[in-house]
Amino acid sequence: MAIRKRFSPLPGFGLSLGYTIFYLSVIVLIPLSAVGAKTIGMGWEAFWAAASNPRVVASYELSFGASLLAAAINVVFGLIFAWVLVRYRFPGKGLVDALVDLPFALPTAVAGIALATIYAENGPIGSLLKPHGIEVAYNPNGVLLALVFIGLPFVVRTVQPVLADLEKEVEEAAAGLGASRWQTFVKVILPHVTPALLTGFAMAFARAVGEYGSVIFIAGNVPMVSEITPLMIITKLEQYDYAGATAVASVMLIFSFILLLVINALQGWMQNRYSKGA
Amino acid sequence: MSIAIRNISKHFGAFHALDDVSIDIPSGELVALLGPSGCGKTTLLRIIAGLESADAGRILLEGDDASDRHVRDRNVGFVFQHYALFRHMTVFENVAFGLRVKPRKFRPSENEIRKRVTRLLDLVQLGWLADRYPSQLSGGQRQRIALARALAVEPKVLLLDEPFGALDAKVRKELRRWLRQLHDEIHVTSVFVTHDQEEALEVSDRIVVMNKGGVEQIGSPDQVYDHPATPFVASFLGSVNLFHGRVEDGHLHVGEHALAVGAGQLATEKAVGFVRPHEFDVLPANAPGSGLPGKILRVIAIGPLAQVELLRPDGELLEVAILRDTLSVLGLREGDEVSLRPRNIRVFQNDNERLAA
Amino acid sequence: MSATIALQPGALERHETPTTREPAWVKVLLIGIALTFFTVFLLFPLFAVFIEAFRKGWGTYLAALSSQDALAAIRLTLLTAAIAVPLNLVFGVAAAWSIAKFEFPGKRLLITLIDLPFSVSPVISGLIYVLLFGAQGWFGEWFAAHDIKILFAVPGIVLATVFVTFPFVARELIPLMEAQGSEEEEAAVVLGASGWQVFWHTTLPNIKWGLLYGVILCNARAMGEFGAVSVVSGHIRGMTNTMPLHVEILYNEYNYAAAFAVASLLALLAIVTLGLKTLVERQTRKQQTESLALENAS
């Protein structure tokens, strides 16, 4: 396969691209295609039976529902975080800015056991909530909580630079034209950060749907109630039901690829929006 | 080393950057590639260097075909528009780079490198900056370091891409003179790209005027300025006033007025006359002889010169430059009617070619 | 899509004037919300790890860490990262070089494909290697016949880790090198530098911070990966347990103190990662200011 490139005086194109494609194929493309091949190999009926099993469907509802809700919560709090970090000075700001990325850096299993411990009914926060009739751990609330934790940095880190880039003059112009601070926020600032918010939302959502480690410790994993889809794959694998696991996996993969396209489109939109110097 | 450019063509997708361009550059000359942005001048410079490949045509260096030679082996010096200094190296190391990366066999000794870099830094008068980093230099200093770095490998050809483009007006003027002097000292064949006609006229031995991927005219600064070969050259170099009309019996007829253009001019229905602002005599309206009537709208004094804006009978504006003294001797003021007498008029057949005005 | 964040260029703070300032109560309210959320969601879990780890004192803590199984898990985690990170580092540099310095058709597609592992659930990242190397997998029989164990053994763990950390270095370097352009490299080539000299003397010094950033994030994920590794490991104590897997086992055995002791090491890794990350970001910002000065000067 010859790839025609434009002339360049720089060396190493063939070597670097060749190695890139080789390594990409060996590590990512060939292994991933195994899921496709296995799914096609099992036939439609077997696929449908595995993918539409009621327990699996219940897990889709939980995974997708909780992920959507978590991403929505992250949009609100992510925007507040980004806003506060860009606009205000306050003690401990440096620490907050650095630790926003904790969910990225902290291994998910560690996050999982830590959240489960804190929010369990005998944990420091769980015990405070219990008298009010709020139970967080070992039910769908726990799933939501873990997913909010894991998704926060996506929104903060996509919105933060965009908010910082917004020229002050634009806001001053709005104020000069008679807009109140709230009007300026709604009509000028919010539209500016909308593409970034949507991108962050989609990223947090996509990550949440696939998340495993931080969720399983706090979810309780009750069949039909608090089982997430990734756990269904593991459960089927442990029963040596490779076909069933693959069927559920391919449903998730198709969904992930659609989200990936959406995110790419959103990022394209962002680039257009922000590079033309709004 | 002489450069011969033979029938070079280059396109990017559907865009023709260069279309069958041929130029000869004699050894030791300082040549300007002049044209508006997008005319292909930078592409041509990069093709000469070997930083870009041509779709068709050859580049001969000193008579040898260098078209397939890698940029490393062409022995050219290239000064990039934004200098491309290595920002993590000191000025000294930047200039020494070309010597240090030579294969061991050809690499000069450390002592020799030191001597040569010092000499070059002295040549560009920046020896005292040897230990600084590029970010600590002014634009003009960077420009000169970039030049010293290019010269360190003793290139047979020096290529400069918009060498003064990123500098402010005052520094640009200084560096222009300095580059000319430097060239007179070292006499290496040099080609520089510019869109600034003043720069080309002041610095170069020879100007190649380019437009839309082709060569419009090649000549000395005087030639291209005084005897433009095409309407494009006439309008691109300096400002001009245009007169559309027809040529008959050695006159250009503009409306009901006629301007003498010499008997040699072929009769044609559609012609354009070009007159530069300083090529008019301005006389009071009642002066004897025939001329083009005009009304003075505005007089702007620029030092000893007066830039006069006039309204032509056909409603178009006209720009004339004359000495302020002349204006006051004639007693002309804004609002006065005058008679304009072109001293020099160049006529081109107007075959609907679009003119850059 | 990213499971990480791109290196943040430019200062992320603005100077405010009276017209662009909110009433004080709004400011206090917003900071209050952010700090509360921060404390409850981020700070508490982090503290909890260390508090639980030391609940039964230093003795228990050290005993948990120096048990045979814990030491084996630490060794395996270090080994896995020591293989996965360099592999993805070399790949990242090669990919960024070809993508950022050359024009060729299919480039955007290639970038999307490189990001693919980030949009795949960790569990699926493990599953694909089960499908490849499992008993009924594509290559399973061949490897079984040659008595090579991939699945439920160290090679499988390494492969799954390489997969999940695949894009980290590449996705840091690609935008960075694209933004830097090729002028310095071209200048080096004109001056006679060879391919290696160009990379070593001009490209590498310009990307070193971005590269380090990618490596730090790649390493953190490699050491902390749980889902993918959990699928392919088989959880054989002392053999195929990485640190996160060891944490899980101890936790499920209600051996909380030991679980959190091992977890505290991973939390420490996260803290170091974030510290280094902040440091590198500061460096890049400095470099960026300098190069900005380089472009605007005259």
Side-chain angles (χ1 to χ4, degrees):
Chain A
M1 181 173 62
I3 290 180
R4 287 195 42 148
K5 56 143 185 158
R6 257 192 56 198
F7 175 85
S8 166
L10 300 181
F13 175 70
L15 181 68
S16 60
L17 186 67
Y19 182 70
T20 300
I21 291 176
F22 166 77
Y23 189 78
L24 176 71
S25 306
V26 170
I27 300 292
V28 178
L29 298 182
I30 294 174
L32 265 182
S33 66
V35 176
K38 181 99 181 166
T39 307
I40 292 167
M42 75 177 72
W44 174 252
E45 274 175 31
F47 169 79
W48 186 247
S52 69
N53 166 306
R55 197 170 145 195
V56 174
V57 171
S59 84
Y60 296 150
E61 282 168 8
L62 175 65
S63 272
F64 289 91
S67 299
L68 267 178
L69 195 54
I73 293 172
N74 279 327
V75 164
V76 175
F77 286 96
L79 180 59
I80 294 178
F81 261 91
W83 182 273
V84 164
L85 287 176
V86 171
R87 305 274 171 138
Y88 304 144
R89 285 167 176 279
F90 54 92
K93 176 171 163 171
L95 185 72
V96 174
D97 201 2
L99 280 189
V100 160
D101 288 326
L102 185 70
F104 284 149
L106 194 66
T108 53
V110 178
I113 62 169
L115 289 173
T117 305
I118 297 174
Y119 289 94
E121 54 180 57
N122 55 355
I125 298 182
S127 59
L128 292 180
L129 297 174
K130 178 92 205 265
H132 302 282
I134 307 171
E135 284 187 47
V136 180
Y138 313 126
N139 61 41
N141 291 342
V143 177
L144 181 65
L145 182 92
L147 295 182
V148 169
F149 172 82
I150 212 74
L152 180 74
F154 288 100
V155 179
V156 180
R157 295 309 190 203
T158 10
V159 174
Q160 203 178 0
V162 173
L163 208 51
D165 266 356
L166 180 64
E167 291 162 60
K168 200 166 52 183
E169 285 79 2
V170 176
E171 287 169 52
E172 289 174 339
L177 293 167
S180 71
R181 195 66 194 133
W182 176 247
Q183 285 172 317
T184 305
F185 176 76
V186 173
K187 289 179 190 289
V188 178
I189 300 173
L190 207 53
H192 178 77
V193 298
T194 300
L197 276 175
L198 283 177
T199 309
F201 173 83
M203 285 175 164
F205 180 44
R207 169 73 195 262
V209 168
E211 180 56 25
Y212 176 69
S214 56
V215 178
I216 50 154
F217 294 99
I218 197 175
N221 306 327
V222 182
M224 303 297 292
V225 176
S226 62
E227 276 183 330
I228 53 169
T229 309
L231 180 67
M232 293 312 306
I233 297 176
I234 298 247
T235 310
K236 285 181 186 290
L237 273 179
E238 279 169 355
Q239 297 159 353
Y240 300 102
D241 178 8
Y242 288 4
T246 309
V248 178
S250 55
V251 170
M252 285 189 71
L253 273 182
I254 289 167
F255 173 77
S256 302
F257 293 157
I258 293 172
L259 255 187
L260 182 66
L261 292 180
V262 170
I263 291 169
N264 271 353
L266 281 171
Q267 279 174 333
W269 183 31
M270 263 174 79
Q271 245 163 26
N272 270 332
R273 166 77 72 94
Y274 300 132
S275 63
K276 280 173 191 158
Chain B
M1 186 156 73
S2 69
I3 306 170
I5 296 155
R6 295 273 177 271
N7 311 99
I8 291 286
S9 291
K10 173 79 185 177
H11 62 87
F12 298 107
F15 175 67
H16 278 267
L18 292 169
D19 191 13
D20 197 22
V21 170
S22 296
I23 304 169
D24 276 294
I25 297 169
S27 188
E29 273 199 358
L30 176 54
V31 173
L33 298 180
L34 173 67
S37 62
C39 74
K41 54 194 193 301
T42 294
T43 306
L44 182 60
L45 194 77
R46 289 173 63 87
I47 288 176
I48 298 173
L51 288 170
E52 194 72 71
S53 72
D55 298 336
R58 322 297 304 167
I59 298 288
L60 311 183
L61 297 177
E62 198 66 59
D64 291 336
D65 192 337
S67 314
D68 302 321
R69 226 184 277 164
H70 191 269
V71 48
R72 258 198 299 275
D73 308 319
R74 289 199 189 189
N75 208 357
V76 297
F78 199 100
V79 177
F80 290 81
Q81 185 174 1
H82 300 290
Y83 322 131
L85 292 177
F86 306 128
R87 61 193 94 177
H88 60 282
M89 293 181 197
T90 61
V91 163
F92 184 93
E93 287 304 321
N94 261 284
V95 178
F97 184 86
L99 301 172
R100 291 205 198 285
V101 297
K102 277 184 193 293
R104 201 170 297 270
K105 265 192 300 187
F106 306 106
R107 196 183 307 159
S109 70
E110 188 57 31
N111 228 338
E112 175 67 18
I113 290 178
R114 193 153 294 278
K115 248 196 285 184
R116 273 163 73 174
V117 173
T118 311
R119 203 168 56 224
L120 277 162
L121 287 177
D122 287 343
L123 181 70
V124 299
Q125 300 154 2
L126 291 176
W128 52 288
L129 290 176
D131 296 327
R132 299 270 184 94
Y133 284 90
S135 57
Q136 300 167 305
L137 307 184
S138 73
Q141 290 168 339
R142 281 175 205 167
Q143 158 65 254
R144 285 191 273 170
I145 296 303
L147 197 62
R149 184 179 71 177
L151 290 173
V153 290
E154 298 178 337
K156 296 288 186 288
V157 171
L158 186 60
L159 306 170
L160 306 101
D161 186 8
E162 296 271 5
F164 313 113
L167 303 171
D168 62 38
K170 187 164 164 282
V171 181
R172 193 183 303 190
K173 259 204 163 118
E174 276 171 31
L175 270 181
R176 233 143 65 181
R177 294 209 184 107
W178 176 79
L179 178 68
R180 181 68 235 184
Q181 280 167 8
L182 186 76
H183 182 263
D184 292 341
E185 271 175 52
I186 59 178
H187 270 296
V188 56
T189 313
S190 306
V191 182
F192 75 100
V193 156
T194 180
H195 62 267
D196 181 343
Q197 34 114 358
E198 203 182 309
E199 203 166 284
L201 291 170
E202 184 180 327
V203 175
S204 57
D205 296 319
R206 193 187 292 262
I207 296 178
V208 177
V209 186
M210 296 183 64
N211 183 32
K212 291 184 190 155
V215 173
E216 294 275 337
Q217 186 176 5
I218 304 176
S220 69
D222 290 351
Q223 275 169 344
V224 293
Y225 190 78
D226 294 331
H227 307 286
T230 66
F232 174 81
V233 178
S235 51
F236 191 74
L237 278 105
S239 40
V240 282
N241 295 292
L242 271 64
F243 297 95
H244 293 270
R246 66 193 157 79
V247 174
E248 217 180 286
D249 327 323
H251 281 79
L252 173 68
H253 297 268
V254 182
E256 57 204 52
H257 305 279
L259 303 168
V261 293
Q265 197 70 39
L266 284 175
T268 168
E269 268 307 301
K270 279 189 159 179
V272 191
F274 286 79
V275 184
R276 298 207 186 279
H278 65 272
E279 293 175 328
F280 285 102
D281 284 326
V282 182
L283 297 172
N286 53 8
S290 72
L292 205 63
K295 182 182 173 188
I296 297 179
L297 289 179
R298 223 150 70 95
V299 178
I300 303 156
I302 304 168
L305 278 181
Q307 187 185 316
V308 186
E309 253 177 56
L310 298 112
L311 188 66
R312 277 157 48 169
D314 55 9
E316 296 214 19
L317 287 178
L318 199 79
E319 200 185 297
V320 171
I322 57 173
L323 286 172
R324 263 163 76 188
D325 287 350
T326 316
L327 207 61
S328 59
V329 166
L330 293 171
L332 292 173
R333 263 173 225 163
E334 290 177 2
D336 286 356
E337 299 281 346
V338 295
S339 174
L340 294 161
R341 315 281 166 87
R343 286 191 303 272
N344 186 10
I345 179 163
R346 282 163 297 273
V347 178
F348 297 98
Q349 192 149 338
N350 182 4
D351 32 8
N352 266 344
E353 196 183 345
R354 276 188 20 177
L355 302 172
Chain C
M1 184 178 52
S2 88
T4 166
I5 2 68
L7 201 49
Q8 305 282 354
L12 295 179
E13 198 181 280
R14 314 185 329 163
H15 173 73
E16 301 303 332
T17 52
T19 38
T20 60
R21 210 176 275 153
E22 289 78 41
W25 67 267
V26 175
K27 181 176 160 179
V28 170
L29 179 70
L30 289 177
I31 294 178
I33 293 174
L35 284 181
T36 309
F37 193 93
F38 172 76
T39 311
V40 172
F41 270 84
L42 300 175
L43 223 44
F44 271 18
L46 192 59
F47 283 156
V49 172
F50 292 99
I51 292 171
E52 294 294 327
F54 290 104
R55 189 175 286 274
K56 294 193 179 156
W58 269 98
T60 322
Y61 181 79
L62 288 178
L65 290 187
S66 54
S67 82
Q68 281 303 315
D69 292 345
L71 288 176
I74 294 170
R75 265 198 302 274
L76 181 57
T77 293
L78 291 177
L79 174 73
T80 306
I83 299 172
V85 174
L87 279 178
N88 286 334
L89 168 70
V90 171
F91 161 75
V93 171
W97 180 264
S98 61
I99 287 171
K101 302 292 178 193
F102 301 93
E103 288 302 323
F104 57 92
K107 200 159 133 170
R108 291 294 127 191
L109 176 70
L110 186 58
I111 295 178
T112 308
L113 289 179
I114 288 175
D115 269 355
L116 216 51
F118 278 161
S119 55
V120 172
S121 170
V123 170
I124 297 177
S125 312
L127 169 74
I128 57 180
Y129 291 101
V130 174
L131 295 182
L132 283 187
F133 300 110
Q136 313 152 355
W138 288 359
F139 310 122
E141 264 175 61
W142 189 88
F143 279 104
H146 291 77
D147 206 22
I148 303 171
K149 248 180 111 45
I150 304 271
L151 211 55
F152 310 128
V154 175
I157 292 173
V158 171
L159 274 175
T161 306
V162 169
F163 180 93
V164 294
T165 57
F166 179 87
F168 276 99
V169 179
R171 68 166 304 118
E172 279 313 321
L173 291 187
I174 292 169
L176 182 66
M177 281 166 73
E178 276 183 333
Q180 280 174 348
S182 308
E183 251 199 2
E184 282 187 44
E185 281 82 2
E186 284 181 358
V189 171
V190 178
L191 291 168
S194 70
W196 269 116
Q197 287 171 324
V198 171
F199 178 75
W200 201 253
H201 292 299
T202 61
T203 310
L204 196 59
N206 283 335
I207 62 169
K208 62 181 178 214
W209 293 115
L211 194 69
L212 185 60
Y213 194 88
V215 166
I216 291 168
L217 296 180
C218 183
N219 179 65
R221 180 74 191 265
M223 291 191 172
E225 178 52 28
F226 176 68
V229 172
S230 155
V231 173
V232 295
S233 129
H235 302 86
I236 307 164
R237 275 196 189 214
M239 300 282 292
T240 61
N241 260 354
T242 60
M243 287 166 75
L245 295 179
H246 193 56
V247 168
E248 184 198 18
I249 290 184
L250 293 171
Y251 186 82
N252 287 342
E253 287 170 349
Y254 304 103
N255 191 350
Y256 293 141
F260 277 101
V262 180
S264 74
L265 287 187
L266 289 169
L268 212 58
L269 167 75
I271 293 170
V272 171
T273 299
L274 291 180
L276 281 175
K277 190 178 143 300
T278 310
L279 220 72
V280 171
E281 267 168 0
R282 205 164 291 161
Q283 279 300 328
T284 341
R285 230 166 265 171
K286 216 172 84 187
Q287 205 176 35
Q288 207 132 37
T289 331
E290 269 170 25
S291 68
L292 216 67
L294 205 60
E295 272 151 35
N296 295 342
S298 61

